[in-house]
Amino acid sequence: MEYVYAALLLHAAGKEITEENLKAILEAAGVSPDEARIKALVAALEGVNIDEVIEKAAMPVAAPVAVAA
Amino acid sequence: MEYVYAALLLHAAGKEITEENLKAILEAAGVSPDEARIKALVAALEGVNIDEVIEKAAMPVAAPVAVAA
Amino acid sequence: MEYVYAALLLHAAGKEITEENLKAILEAAGVSPDEARIKALVAALEGVNIDEVIEKAAMPVAAPVAVAA
Amino acid sequence: MEYVYAALLLHAAGKEITEENLKAILEAAGVSPDEARIKALVAALEGVNIDEVIEKAAMPVAAPVAVAA
Amino acid sequence: MEYVYAALLLHAAGKEITEENLKAILEAAGVSPDEARIKALVAALEGVNIDEVIEKAAMPVAAPVAVAA
Amino acid sequence: MEYVYAALLLHAAGKEITEENLKAILEAAGVSPDEARIKALVAALEGVNIDEVIEKAAMPVAAPVAVAA
Amino acid sequence: MAHVAEWKKKEVEELANIIKSYPVIALVDVANVPAYPLSKMREKLRGKALLRVSRNTLIELAIKRAAQELNNPDLEKLIDHIQGGAGILATEMNPFKLYKLLEESKTPAPAKPGAVVPRDVVIPAGPTSISPGPLVGEMQTLGIPARIEKGKVSIQKDYTVLKAGEVITDQLARILNALGIEPLEVGLNLLAAYEDGIVYTPEVLAIDESEYINLLQQAYMHAFNLSVNTAYPTGQTIEAIIQKAFLGAKNVAVEAGYVTPETVEDIFGRALRAVLLIAQELPEELLD
């Protein structure tokens, strides 16, 4: 999760989530960053509306899932 | 939330959550850290078992969900 | 939580949330105020729309399950 | 809400919720306290287990989700 | 369930769910595809709103789905 | 999610989740695979007992659900 | 006061002295309180409030005298609230607390014809110990859903026979007494209370405690939300703050399909659920 926390830290700080920025943070945290994971994270987050997704986490989701019993 | 993400990043990386460590990460993220907030966070985290707290969050509601069948 | 209540009291009373104001209230409540916590609170509330934030559900309610059977 | 915040501040600070204590806090917040409201609040909270009341408030809406079949 | 995974993979990749596409994926996965099943799957999925299904699946806590796997 | 579906497809087909296998499937699906994401996924799945995860994931309401029948 | 009897003069002086020496003076109506409950009431008030029952005219004189001697005309406003068989309660208790104490000290009393009920009177559903007889017919004519079951009168469902403020009739008094329902209450009715220049009436003093409990909970939630949403940690909220950060991070990772040990289950779960939900839509022969 280190990589994700680093990304959210950047997001919360209003900075862009780039490979360099992630790397800098991870190094400051004493983690030797794995290029592939960094790249993968940046790629995966493309198109994700982080604010919205975080908000969802804070909201009780109660929509009924229709299930065959 | 920056400060909290920084703390969780340290935790996930297996590092101690100290004022210096938090400061280093925040600076790497381009945030000029507020000493007082860092101190307050470190103080608040004292004695908190983060793993346990996260585990609790990860569990789907412990409260009894009454399902009428 | 004393500090937060003091801030809310100031807000409800239409006063500014400043270090001095917080200090005065806490002292009136018989609490000897901690400078760092006061500073941290003022910093944390900077630019925050308090009316909005107090109404926004904070707790990530870990998913109440609505199951339609 | 000022009066209620003041009461909770006293409670959080481990002080008794008395007319004088409420008055002192409200005055420190720059509010000229309304005697009748203070008296009513003190009377209403008499015999109320505030910790219990708060605990109930802290339970998110997650509690028993009754589900229709 | 391979067939359904293949269909969802196509959907996630923004490709059309056609017989050829399914076949190609299944073969790449080392499965020798059953023509009839592929045909039936494509036909059956025609009336299914996959986005909706995925949204439902994203509900944090899923329900006891009838597992006919 | 393409990568995840690809991995699960491999698993369902009884194949190993390797970089080459993932790549082959994604290419068959018409996706030009991102090396980093593939590497990261394979690395993340190392040591993960997928059968177990699937089992858990498939019956997510495993939490203490009080069922009033 | 030349024409007034000596004992009255003394009584007024005594009452005035009491009024002068307590911060809170309340008027109560003791007219309908029988001797026994009244003495119980005095016991309950001992150490908290001094109860003096007197004639309304003497109380009025005493209040006037005290107001004059204290040079406090506000106190005289209490006189407007004297009615029934008045008594004075002198206390250091806050008037709201005093009111609460008096209300809580009231005891239920059996129905009396002609009396006004303080609140709705409900005949609860369920069996009674009443044997069949003419009373059943009377109940039915009043609309009370009474029936004979297993040799006794049984009420079919809750039935409100009187609304608050309505008068008990002869017939209803008999029925309520037979059912053992005590719709009246006995105790000191507070007429008004004076403190610090303000006369408080019962309407003001009757506070809704549940309303305050709601406010407390609201205020607490405000503090909780403020603390968590701004990530200002307190002892009570640090856990929630961590959880919020964690869940936020996890959700983002899950949404992005970024697999980590913490997210693998959720991500696979989503994929799997999608597959299973789709499988439900498929014809059976497609499933193995």
Side-chain angles (χ1 to χ4, degrees):
Chain A
M1 274 308 248
E2 302 93 283
Y3 295 74
V4 183
Y5 289 133
L8 284 180
L9 167 48
L10 281 170
H11 179 77
K15 311 286 172 199
E16 223 184 318
I17 301 174
T18 64
E19 295 178 27
E20 305 94 87
N21 286 349
L22 286 172
K23 225 166 133 177
I25 293 178
L26 288 163
E27 275 166 359
V31 178
S32 51
D34 177 283
E35 289 276 347
R37 296 176 73 178
I38 288 188
K39 267 188 215 301
L41 180 56
V42 172
L45 288 178
E46 239 165 78
V48 172
N49 183 333
I50 294 183
D51 284 321
E52 224 172 63
V53 171
I54 287 180
E55 196 86 355
K56 257 197 242 158
M59 289 240 287
V61 180
V65 179
V67 171
Chain B
M1 248 6 204
E2 305 93 283
Y3 295 78
V4 184
Y5 289 131
L8 287 180
L9 167 48
L10 280 170
H11 178 76
K15 311 287 172 200
E16 222 184 318
I17 300 173
T18 63
E19 295 181 25
E20 303 93 84
N21 288 348
L22 285 173
K23 222 166 136 179
I25 293 179
L26 287 162
E27 275 166 359
V31 178
S32 51
D34 180 290
E35 290 273 348
R37 293 192 74 177
I38 288 187
K39 263 189 215 304
L41 180 57
V42 171
L45 287 176
E46 234 165 83
V48 171
N49 183 331
I50 294 183
D51 283 322
E52 234 169 55
V53 169
I54 285 178
E55 189 122 335
K56 263 194 248 162
M59 290 240 276
V61 190
V65 177
V67 177
Chain C
M1 222 51 164
E2 302 94 283
Y3 294 74
V4 181
Y5 289 129
L8 284 172
L9 170 47
L10 280 170
H11 178 74
K15 310 287 171 200
E16 225 184 316
I17 301 174
T18 63
E19 295 180 26
E20 304 94 86
N21 287 349
L22 286 171
K23 225 166 134 177
I25 292 179
L26 288 163
E27 275 166 359
V31 178
S32 51
D34 177 284
E35 289 276 345
R37 296 178 72 178
I38 287 190
K39 267 187 213 301
L41 180 55
V42 172
L45 295 183
E46 229 168 276
V48 169
N49 180 334
I50 293 184
D51 285 321
E52 227 170 62
V53 161
I54 61 177
E55 294 295 344
K56 196 170 121 189
M59 218 8 230
V61 177
V65 186
V67 178
Chain D
M1 230 27 189
E2 302 94 285
Y3 294 75
V4 185
Y5 291 137
L8 282 176
L9 167 49
L10 281 170
H11 178 75
K15 311 286 172 201
E16 223 184 317
I17 300 174
T18 64
E19 295 176 29
E20 304 94 84
N21 287 347
L22 285 172
K23 225 166 134 176
I25 292 179
L26 287 164
E27 275 165 0
V31 178
S32 50
D34 175 337
E35 291 274 346
R37 292 183 68 181
I38 288 190
K39 280 184 213 293
L41 179 59
V42 171
L45 295 185
E46 213 186 2
V48 170
N49 183 332
I50 293 184
D51 282 321
E52 228 171 59
V53 166
I54 282 177
E55 189 119 335
K56 272 190 220 146
M59 290 270 211
V61 211
V65 178
V67 172
Chain E
M1 281 311 176
E2 302 95 284
Y3 291 72
V4 185
Y5 280 123
L8 282 173
L9 168 48
L10 281 170
H11 180 79
K15 311 287 171 197
E16 225 183 316
I17 302 174
T18 63
E19 294 177 29
E20 305 93 88
N21 286 348
L22 286 172
K23 220 167 139 180
I25 293 178
L26 288 164
E27 275 166 359
V31 178
S32 52
D34 173 339
E35 291 275 350
R37 291 187 69 183
I38 287 189
K39 261 193 217 305
L41 179 60
V42 171
L45 286 180
E46 241 161 67
V48 174
N49 184 334
I50 295 183
D51 283 321
E52 225 171 62
V53 168
I54 286 175
E55 194 145 321
K56 267 193 224 164
M59 292 306 173
V61 178
V65 179
V67 179
Chain F
M1 279 304 253
E2 306 91 280
Y3 295 77
V4 176
Y5 288 127
L8 284 172
L9 167 50
L10 279 172
H11 181 77
K15 310 287 171 204
E16 224 184 317
I17 301 173
T18 64
E19 295 181 26
E20 304 92 86
N21 287 348
L22 285 171
K23 221 165 136 179
I25 292 180
L26 286 162
E27 275 166 359
V31 179
S32 53
D34 177 339
E35 289 273 348
R37 294 187 75 173
I38 288 187
K39 261 190 215 305
L41 180 57
V42 172
L45 291 180
E46 235 165 79
V48 172
N49 183 333
I50 294 184
D51 281 322
E52 224 171 63
V53 168
I54 285 179
E55 190 145 323
K56 265 196 240 162
M59 37 183 319
V61 201
V65 177
V67 178
Chain G
M1 292 215 279
H3 59 289
V4 175
E6 201 53 35
W7 72 269
K8 287 188 181 172
K9 274 195 223 165
K10 254 184 96 180
E11 170 95 356
V12 169
E13 192 183 336
E14 256 182 63
L15 287 172
N17 282 339
I18 290 170
I19 293 169
K20 276 155 55 186
S21 41
Y22 286 85
V24 177
I25 304 299
L27 290 170
V28 290
D29 183 1
V30 296
N32 294 313
V33 187
Y36 178 67
L38 190 59
S39 74
K40 290 269 295 193
M41 203 58 220
R42 276 186 207 275
E43 247 168 67
K44 267 190 192 148
L45 291 171
R46 190 160 299 144
K48 295 177 185 159
L50 181 67
L51 173 63
R52 283 293 299 263
V53 178
S54 189
R55 296 191 184 179
N56 290 0
T57 49
L58 301 185
I59 288 174
E60 184 175 336
L61 287 173
I63 290 172
K64 274 189 181 151
R65 181 162 163 179
Q68 244 165 32
E69 288 175 12
L70 291 171
N71 194 18
N72 181 358
D74 287 334
L75 186 53
E76 273 202 47
K77 291 188 228 155
L78 257 187
I79 290 171
D80 303 339
H81 300 274
I82 296 175
Q83 70 173 53
I88 58 172
L89 259 181
T91 179
E92 278 166 9
M93 265 178 131
N94 133 3
F96 293 88
K97 286 192 190 178
L98 180 66
Y99 181 82
K100 199 163 134 184
L101 177 69
L102 294 183
E103 287 303 303
E104 284 168 1
S105 306
K106 286 183 174 171
T107 49
K112 258 193 301 180
V116 173
V117 294
R119 55 184 61 88
D120 292 3
V121 179
V122 177
I123 296 179
T128 74
S129 56
I130 303 173
S131 300
L135 208 55
V136 182
E138 287 187 44
M139 286 165 100
Q140 284 163 346
T141 58
L142 289 176
I144 301 166
R147 237 197 262 164
I148 309 299
E149 267 170 25
K150 294 177 192 152
K152 296 284 180 191
V153 175
S154 177
I155 308 299
Q156 301 305 300
K157 61 173 199 248
D158 285 2
Y159 186 77
T160 304
V161 281
L162 283 176
K163 294 267 182 210
E166 288 180 345
V167 176
I168 304 174
T169 61
D170 277 346
Q171 190 184 36
L172 200 51
R174 263 183 290 122
I175 292 170
L176 289 171
N177 287 332
L179 287 166
I181 292 171
E182 301 193 322
L184 298 175
E185 42 184 35
V186 174
L188 297 180
N189 272 328
L190 189 142
L191 300 165
Y194 168 89
E195 183 181 22
D196 227 356
I198 303 171
V199 173
Y200 298 93
T201 57
E203 298 84 69
V204 175
L205 294 175
I207 45 180
D208 181 355
E209 246 173 81
S210 63
E211 179 65 25
Y212 279 88
I213 286 178
N214 274 340
L215 286 175
L216 274 183
Q217 291 178 330
Q218 232 180 348
Y220 175 76
M221 283 318 293
H222 286 166
F224 186 88
N225 289 347
L226 184 69
S227 170
V228 175
N229 286 330
T230 63
Y232 174 78
T234 71
Q236 272 146 295
T237 53
I238 182 66
E239 292 200 359
I241 290 170
I242 293 171
Q243 290 174 338
K244 184 179 166 134
F246 169 75
L247 286 178
K250 189 174 147 193
N251 255 42
V252 168
V254 170
E255 192 72 30
Y258 182 75
V259 175
T260 73
E262 292 87 354
T263 58
V264 63
E265 214 172 287
D266 286 73
I267 292 174
F268 278 21
R270 277 189 189 204
L272 207 63
R273 286 195 295 276
V275 165
L276 294 174
L277 284 168
I278 284 180
Q280 289 182 344
E281 312 271 338
L282 301 178
E284 240 168 79
E285 61 270 21
L286 260 176
L287 308 170
D288 35 46

